[in-house]
Structure formats: structure tokens, C-alpha cells
Amino acid sequence: MEEFQHSYRRLCKESGAEPQETVLQQLQELPRGRLDLATQSLTVETCRALGKLLQKEALLTELILSDCMLSEEGATLLLQGLCANTVVRFLDLKGNNLQAAGAEALGQLLRQNKSIQSLTLEWNNLGPWEDAFAAFCGALAGNGALRQLDLRNNQISHKGAEELALALTRNAHLQQLDLRWNSIGLLGGRALVNCLPRNRTLWRLELAGNNVPGDILRAVEQAMDHNQERQTTSRENRARTHVLSKEVQHLQEEKSRQGSGWLCPQFLDLMETIDKQRKEMARSSRASAACVGQLQEALNERHSIINALKAKLQMAEAALALSEQKAQGLGELLAMAEQEQRSLAQRQAKERRLEQQVGRRAGGQAVLGGVTSGAHAPSHPQEAAERESKLLRDLSAANEKHLLLRNQVDELERKVRSQQEQLFLARQELTNTAAELKIRAVQAEERLELEKKRSRQSLEDVEQLRAKEVEHMTRHLEESERAMQERVQRLEASRLSLEEELSRVKAAALSERGQAEEELIKAKNQVRLEEQQRLAHLEEKLRLLAQARDEAQSACLQQRQTVADAQARASQLSLQVEGLRRRLEELQQELSNKDQEKVAEVTRVRVELREQNGRLQAELTAQEALKEKVAALERQLKVMASDHREALLDRESENASLREKLRLKEAEIARIREEEAQRASFLQNAVLAYVQGSPLRALSPQK
């Protein structure tokens, strides 16, 4: 890598900038095929020089640029340099706050680069820029090399999820997509679920922390399980085809070695049967895949219908509750109006009785009073008639108000009844659709089981036929095997020596693997302790705010450096494991020319190593999942607290509005009472004045 370092110095001098010491140090300690610049603050000049170097670099396969605080211009220069690269397989751009320009540069990279298989974009800001993210998704749709994409914590909304769904319908190569901790929501989750039946290669899709409903998550898991089953069956078919081709090749070699013509027709028959079985297996797999796709589409449609009916049912229940509240309020108003009407009727009856008494007294005055009372008599009946007409008008207005309120109550009752009928119909329709969906799901499961049994039966038939053919061929080859027994005896001595050497190599490999496992466990424990320390430092930084920022940054840099060292040690261990694998492969190649039995032993060792690595990777992923679950629970607690506060504020505002309405009603009732009291006092004063001013009082005897 000295040539890479000299080239970096030369390009920096040509651009008139000084090379960064940290970058030079990383280039000096560069492991084979890996450039790790994590947590290094890269300037624009450094990004320009690295972009030019990456255009022609043919040794790097992994490029790690996480937490490098890249600017938009620097990220664009680096990605433009990677567009012409044909060697880099792994690219990590985590935590660089890439925005609109970064999304466009990433889209150009996916359109032009044909070698990157894993792209990590965690902790960036690609989602809010809709046009740039749409361009990135369009480039993803046409990319045929990318297998793994990490888009965690990118603020992707439901519109971004719809663009990703369109890209997934056209992309037939992406296998893993991580969308955790975004803002996809219900609409984005539905768009992703609707696109999955047309995508057969994606077998892992993570949607945790996106406020996606549980039924959508279950549908996504079912689609991923179907894709995994499809891929496993295709791999098994390829493995069986490979085994059959090896057997055919072995038979051809035996035929050419013996030079006899009696194997030709049997060999041709075997080839024809194998071709027929391949065609039948392909036809059955296509038919089963089409059937499963149709069943999945029907199931998704039924899920969407059920969700729509549930939403309608909730809306109808809310409207029914609101209408019941309105009806209750209008009923209370109607009761108050009826009570007021009864009180007004009682008052009017009292006033009429008083007026009748006054009229009778006025008639007696007209008979006994003579001429003096004639001037006063016409005025009192006229005032009584005016008061009576006024009271009648008030009574008619109260009756009209009563009728209007009664009509409103009747209309609301009709609406409530219609909404109850609609709610009953919606519930009935929901139960019918749920029952139908269950029946169809059971039928689909039965059909799927039948297809699986049929495919298994066909595979078993193929295996039986192949076993019969192999047994038939082995019978015919026994004579040739007898002739080769002498050669086997001669090679037995060499095989024993090779077995001793293989046992020594296996013992050395086991010891090295144990050492590697111990070092890996130590590194994992150290990384866990460092992660715990880092979390403690971050909590202290949040408590102390800006005062301890510099100390926390220095501690964070030290921890990142230790993590980078641990990653370097892990990469060295992986290189050692890779060297062991290559050594085993060389031994396998040497032993395959002499005896095919040693191939199985070496492959078994390789499988054990892979299983060990898989278990370690599973432990790491389980730890990450636990951390993410803890973060998700904390976010859920925050969301629940905010929802509780909002609900309390809404209840307080509703209580204030109800208090205001109650105050207005009380003021109106007080005003009506005051008006009625004034009317009663006016009527009483008028009656008293009339009684006091009448001549009957003068003629009445003194008590």
C-alpha cells in the first residue's frame, strides 16, 4: 500500500493542499483489501484525492467511511470516484448526515457502479429530500449488483417508502433491506406489503420502529418466509442438479476409460430421464410459485378490505357516539324548554285570572260609578288586551321553539337509528368477510400443503429413480471396480500417509480455531465493556449539557479508536480463518485427484467453520436486536407520555369549553328569570294601581 500512500501525497500536492496525517497513518497500517477511515474528519481536498485514487485502485474491496463528518461536496467527490471502480464490494457511509446532494450522488453511484454488493447508509438524512430520494430509488431499481442495503435512521416518510416499493418491484437482485427507526407509518407499510408479491429475491426486510401496524408486519414476515423457502428449494434443486451432473461426468469418464460401447444406450436413457425430471421439476416449481403468488395477492386484498371495514366501523362508532351526545344535549334543552313553557303557561293562566277579576271589577264600576268612571274604563281593558296579546305572542314563540327542538330531536333520533343500522350492517359485513377470509386462508393453506406434498413426492420419485439408475449402473461397473482394486491397494499406502498428514493439519487447524475463538470472545467482551462505558459517558454528557462537551468528544474518539482496533483485530482473525480455509481448499484439491473420500471430510470442516462464524454473527445480531428493542421501548414510553399529556390538554380544553357553555346557559336563565320577575312586578303594580285608583274602593265600607 505504499504506492497508494505516495499517490495520495502526490495528488494533495498537485491540488495545493497538505495531506492529513491521520489518513497517512491509516494508509500506512492498511490491511489487505480494506481501507478503514472511520471517525476521521476528512476535508474536501482529501475527498477529492481519494476519489481520484479510487477510480483506478484495484486492490481495495472494503471502504469504511463511517462518522467522517463528510460535507456534501466531499461526499459527492468520493462517490464520483467510486462510480468508475470495479473492485469495491463493501461501502460504509454511516453517520455522515448526507442530504439532497448526497442522495443524488448515491443515485449516480448505483446507476454506474456494478461491483458494490453491500451499502450502509445508517444515521443519515436522505428521507426529507423527496426528489433526491426518488432519484436514489430510481437508480436502486436498475441496479443489479447490490445485495444488502442499510437505511436505518434516515427520516424516511411514507412517500419515501412508496418510492422504495416501486424500486423493489423492478429490482430482482436485492436480498436484504433494513428500514428500522424511520417514519414509514401505515401508508408506507401498505405500499411495501403490496410490492412484495412481485419481488422474489428479497428475503429480509426490517421495519421495526416505524409505527407500522402489527398485521402489516406479520404480512411482511410471511412474504419473507415464502421467499426464503423459495430460495432454499432453488438451492436444493441446484445442489441436486450439480450432484447429478457430477455423477454423469463420472460415468462419462468411466466410459471413456473403459472404451466399451455397451454403456452408450443406457447412458443416453439416463440422460433423457434426467432431462425429463428436470423439466417436470421446473414446471411444478413454476406452477407452485404462481399458485402461492396468487394466494398471497388474494390474502393481501382481503387484509386491505378488512382494514378498510375496521376503519369504517370505528368512524361509524365515533359518529354514533357524537350523535348520541348531541341527542342527549338536545333532550336536556327540550326538557328545559318544556319546563319553561309550563312555567309560562302557569304565569299566563294567573295573569288571565287576574285580568278576569279586573274585568269583573271594571263592569261593576261602570254600573255604579256614573259618568266619572266612564273616562277611566276604556283604558284598563285596552292595556289588559295588549298584555294578553303580548303573552300570547310569547306563548306562540315558546311553542315554535318547542316544536323546532322537537323536530331536531326527531331528526337526530332518525340519524342515530340509521347509523345504528349502518353499524350493524358493517359489523355483519365484517364478520362475513372475516369468515370468508378464514375459509379462503384454510383453503389456501390446504392447497399450499398439497403443492408441497406434490413437490416432495416428485422429488422423492426423482431420488428413487436416480437411486435405481445408480444401482443399475453400479452393477454394470462392478467388473471394472474389480479391475481397479489392485490400483486401489497400491494407492492405499499413499492414502494412509495423507491421512496422517491430514490429521496433523486438522489438529493444527483446531488449535488455531480455538485460539481465534478465544481472541474473538475477548474482543467481544472488550467491545461490550466499551459500549457500556460509551453509554455511561453519553448519559453524563446529556446531564451536563454543553459544559462537558469537549471531554465527552475526546472520550468518544478514544472509544471509537478502540472499536476500530477491535475491528482490525477481528478482520485479522477473519483473514487468518480465510487462510485456513484456503489451506483446506488446497488440501482438498490435492486429495480430490487421489481419493474422493477426503473431499467430504474437508467440506465438513469448512461447514463447521461456517457454522461457528454464523453462530458468532447470530450472537452479534441478537445483541443489536436487544439494544434496538431497549431503544424502541424508550421511544414508546416517550410517545405514550406525550400522548397522555396531549389527552390531558384536550380534556382540559373540553372542560373549559363546557364551563363556558354552562356559564352562558346560567346567564341566559338568570336573564329570563329577571325578565319574568320584571313582568310579574309590572303586572302586580298595574293591578295594584288599577285597584287603588278604582271608585269601588271609595264606595267600599270602612273596616
Side-chain angles (χ1 to χ4, degrees):
M1 290 299 171
E2 294 180 357
E3 184 179 356
F4 194 85
Q5 189 176 5
H6 291 312
S7 301
Y8 170 67
R9 290 177 183 273
R10 177 175 54 79
L11 289 172
C12 289
K13 289 180 181 179
E14 288 178 359
S15 61
E18 291 293 330
Q20 290 184 242
E21 294 296 332
T22 55
V23 176
L24 290 174
Q25 185 178 0
Q26 292 294 329
L27 292 176
Q28 186 176 1
E29 300 174 356
L30 189 65
R32 185 175 181 182
R34 178 185 174 91
L35 177 58
D36 190 355
L37 296 176
T39 68
Q40 304 293 333
S41 299
L42 303 181
T43 61
V44 177
E45 290 78 10
T46 300
C47 293
R48 183 180 289 108
L50 290 175
K52 291 179 180 179
L53 284 175
L54 290 172
Q55 291 179 359
K56 301 178 181 179
E57 179 59 35
L59 296 177
L60 289 177
T61 58
E62 296 184 12
L63 181 58
I64 299 174
L65 299 173
S66 59
D67 300 318
C68 289
M69 292 184 285
L70 296 177
S71 62
E72 292 287 314
E73 184 180 359
T76 304
L77 292 171
L78 273 171
L79 294 173
Q80 287 176 356
L82 283 171
C83 289
N85 190 286
T86 59
V87 180
V88 175
R89 300 286 184 269
F90 179 83
L91 178 60
D92 189 355
L93 292 172
K94 173 184 174 183
N96 285 295
N97 196 21
L98 298 180
Q99 298 181 3
E104 293 176 355
L106 286 169
Q108 184 180 1
L109 174 67
L110 292 179
R111 278 191 295 270
Q112 297 182 8
N113 188 279
K114 304 299 180 184
S115 63
I116 295 178
Q117 298 179 0
S118 177
L119 180 58
T120 302
L121 298 174
E122 184 184 359
W123 286 109
N124 284 291
N125 198 14
L126 302 177
W129 312 95
E130 295 179 1
D131 296 335
F133 191 71
F136 170 76
C137 293
L140 176 64
N143 186 276
L146 195 64
R147 299 292 183 271
Q148 183 179 359
L149 179 60
D150 189 352
L151 288 173
R152 288 178 289 177
N153 297 97
N154 269 276
Q155 300 181 14
I156 299 173
S157 62
H158 64 280
K159 294 182 179 179
E162 291 173 357
E163 296 291 338
L164 278 172
L166 290 175
L168 290 176
T169 55
R170 292 182 289 168
N171 189 301
H173 300 86
L174 189 65
Q175 297 179 357
Q176 300 181 32
L177 178 59
D178 198 343
L179 294 174
R180 287 176 288 182
W181 312 118
N182 286 294
S183 302
I184 291 175
L186 174 63
L187 298 177
R190 285 181 179 174
L192 290 170
V193 167
N194 293 330
C195 81
L196 289 178
R198 287 174 284 180
N199 189 301
R200 303 295 178 85
T201 58
L202 189 68
W203 58 269
R204 183 188 175 204
L205 178 59
E206 299 288 343
L207 290 176
N210 282 284
N211 293 326
V212 179
D215 55 350
I216 294 177
L217 292 176
R218 286 190 292 273
V220 170
E221 290 179 359
Q222 290 176 0
M224 296 298 101
D225 292 338
H226 286 307
N227 288 342
Q228 285 183 359
E229 289 178 359
R230 189 181 293 110
Q231 290 183 2
T232 52
T233 53
S234 64
R235 283 196 297 269
E236 289 177 357
N237 290 330
R238 284 196 297 269
R240 289 172 179 172
T241 306
H242 183 64
V243 171
L244 289 173
S245 63
K246 279 188 175 181
E247 290 180 357
V248 169
Q249 186 178 2
H250 179 67
L251 291 174
Q252 287 179 352
E253 290 177 356
E254 291 292 333
K255 174 181 173 295
S256 61
R257 199 177 294 125
Q258 291 178 1
S260 59
W262 59 272
L263 288 176
C264 291
Q266 295 175 354
F267 177 72
L268 292 175
D269 293 337
L270 179 61
M271 290 297 293
E272 288 177 359
T273 55
I274 289 171
D275 292 335
K276 289 180 181 178
Q277 290 170 3
R278 284 181 183 175
K279 290 179 181 178
E280 290 178 358
M281 289 172 63
R283 193 182 302 111
S284 63
S285 63
R286 285 195 297 270
S288 62
C291 182
V292 170
Q294 292 176 0
L295 293 174
Q296 186 67 30
E297 290 177 357
L299 189 62
N300 293 332
E301 290 177 359
R302 290 296 175 182
H303 278 302
S304 62
I305 291 169
I306 286 175
N307 291 330
L309 289 174
K310 286 181 180 178
K312 288 182 181 178
L313 181 61
Q314 291 176 359
M315 292 173 65
E317 289 178 352
L320 180 61
L322 183 61
S323 61
E324 287 178 354
Q325 290 178 0
K326 289 183 179 178
Q328 187 178 2
L330 289 174
E332 293 176 356
L333 291 175
L334 181 61
M336 292 172 64
E338 289 177 352
Q339 188 176 1
E340 290 177 358
Q341 186 179 5
R342 285 195 296 271
S343 63
L344 286 174
Q346 291 175 2
R347 290 195 190 104
Q348 288 175 0
K350 289 180 181 179
E351 290 176 357
R352 284 179 183 175
R353 287 196 296 271
L354 290 173
E355 286 174 357
Q356 288 176 2
Q357 292 176 3
V358 171
R360 286 195 297 272
R361 289 177 183 177
Q365 183 182 6
V367 173
L368 299 174
V371 180
T372 57
S373 64
H376 298 283
S379 62
H380 293 290
Q382 186 177 3
E383 291 177 358
E386 290 178 355
R387 285 194 297 273
E388 185 176 0
S389 63
K390 186 176 181 182
L391 291 172
L392 289 172
R393 285 195 300 273
D394 293 337
L395 183 60
S396 63
N399 288 327
E400 290 177 356
K401 186 176 180 181
H402 176 68
L403 290 173
L404 181 61
L405 291 173
R406 176 63 67 183
N407 292 328
Q408 290 180 358
V409 169
D410 293 336
E411 185 178 359
L412 285 172
E413 287 178 352
R414 286 195 299 274
K415 287 182 179 179
V416 167
R417 285 194 294 272
S418 64
Q419 288 177 357
Q420 287 178 353
E421 292 175 357
Q422 291 177 1
L423 182 61
F424 178 73
L425 292 173
R427 286 178 178 172
Q428 189 174 4
E429 185 178 359
L430 181 61
T431 54
N432 293 330
T433 51
E436 185 179 359
L437 182 60
K438 287 180 181 178
I439 292 169
R440 290 193 178 183
V442 171
Q443 292 176 358
E445 289 179 356
E446 290 178 355
R447 291 175 63 185
L448 185 61
E449 289 295 330
L450 288 174
E451 291 293 335
K452 286 182 178 179
K453 289 179 181 178
R454 196 175 299 164
S455 61
R456 288 172 185 170
Q457 187 65 33
S458 63
L459 289 174
E460 289 176 358
D461 295 337
V462 169
E463 289 292 333
Q464 290 176 1
L465 183 60
R466 187 184 65 81
K468 289 180 181 179
E469 292 293 336
V470 170
E471 186 179 359
H472 182 67
M473 296 301 294
T474 51
R475 281 199 220 96
H476 290 285
L477 291 174
E478 283 179 356
E479 296 178 359
S480 60
E481 287 180 358
R482 291 192 191 97
M484 295 179 67
Q485 283 180 359
E486 295 179 358
R487 185 179 178 185
V488 170
Q489 289 176 0
R490 288 194 301 268
L491 294 173
E492 187 69 25
S494 61
R495 185 177 69 80
L496 293 173
S497 62
L498 290 173
E499 284 181 353
E500 292 177 357
E501 185 178 359
L502 180 61
S503 62
R504 288 195 300 271
V505 170
K506 285 171 65 177
L510 288 172
S511 62
E512 291 177 358
R513 186 176 67 180
Q515 292 177 0
E517 289 177 355
E518 291 178 357
E519 292 179 358
L520 185 59
I521 291 169
K522 290 179 181 178
K524 284 170 62 179
N525 294 328
Q526 187 177 0
V527 167
R528 288 176 187 171
L529 293 174
E530 290 170 355
E531 287 293 332
Q532 293 176 359
Q533 293 176 0
R534 184 179 179 184
L535 290 173
H537 283 299
L538 288 174
E539 290 177 356
E540 291 177 359
K541 183 174 71 176
L542 287 173
R543 293 191 192 95
L544 298 176
L545 296 175
Q547 295 178 358
R549 184 180 297 171
D550 297 332
E551 296 177 0
Q553 286 180 354
S554 62
C556 184
L557 290 174
Q558 290 177 1
Q559 290 171 359
R560 287 178 179 174
Q561 187 65 33
T562 54
V563 170
D565 295 337
Q567 289 178 354
R569 288 195 297 271
S571 63
Q572 290 177 1
L573 292 173
S574 64
L575 290 174
Q576 291 178 2
V577 173
E578 187 66 24
L580 291 173
R581 289 178 184 173
R582 290 175 182 173
R583 188 174 179 183
L584 289 172
E585 289 175 357
E586 292 175 358
L587 291 172
Q588 181 186 5
Q589 186 65 28
E590 292 176 359
L591 292 174
S592 62
N593 296 327
K594 298 178 182 180
D595 193 4
Q596 293 182 355
E597 293 179 355
K598 298 301 179 290
V599 178
E601 186 70 24
V602 177
T603 52
R604 186 176 64 80
V605 174
R606 290 177 62 191
V607 167
E608 288 178 355
L609 290 174
R610 288 178 182 174
E611 289 177 353
Q612 187 70 24
N613 292 328
R615 287 194 293 271
L616 294 175
Q617 189 67 28
E619 291 178 358
L620 291 175
T621 54
Q623 291 176 3
E624 292 178 358
L626 289 174
K627 291 180 182 177
E628 290 171 357
K629 286 181 181 178
V630 171
L633 291 173
E634 291 177 355
R635 291 191 183 92
Q636 288 179 1
L637 288 174
K638 291 180 181 178
V639 170
M640 290 172 67
S642 63
D643 293 337
H644 184 63
R645 286 197 295 272
E646 290 176 358
L648 288 176
L649 292 174
D650 293 335
R651 291 298 175 84
E652 288 177 359
S653 62
E654 289 178 1
N655 291 331
S657 63
L658 290 173
R659 290 194 194 98
E660 184 67 19
K661 289 180 181 178
L662 183 62
R663 187 181 63 78
L664 293 174
K665 291 290 182 181
E666 289 176 354
E668 186 176 0
I669 291 168
R671 182 178 58 78
I672 292 170
R673 287 177 180 173
E674 288 176 0
E675 288 178 0
E676 294 296 327
Q678 288 177 1
R679 288 178 185 174
S681 64
F682 288 158
L683 183 60
Q684 186 178 5
N685 292 329
V687 171
L688 291 174
Y690 180 79
V691 171
Q692 290 176 1
S694 64
L696 291 175
R697 185 180 179 185
L699 295 175
S700 62
Q702 296 291 331
K703 292 184 180 180

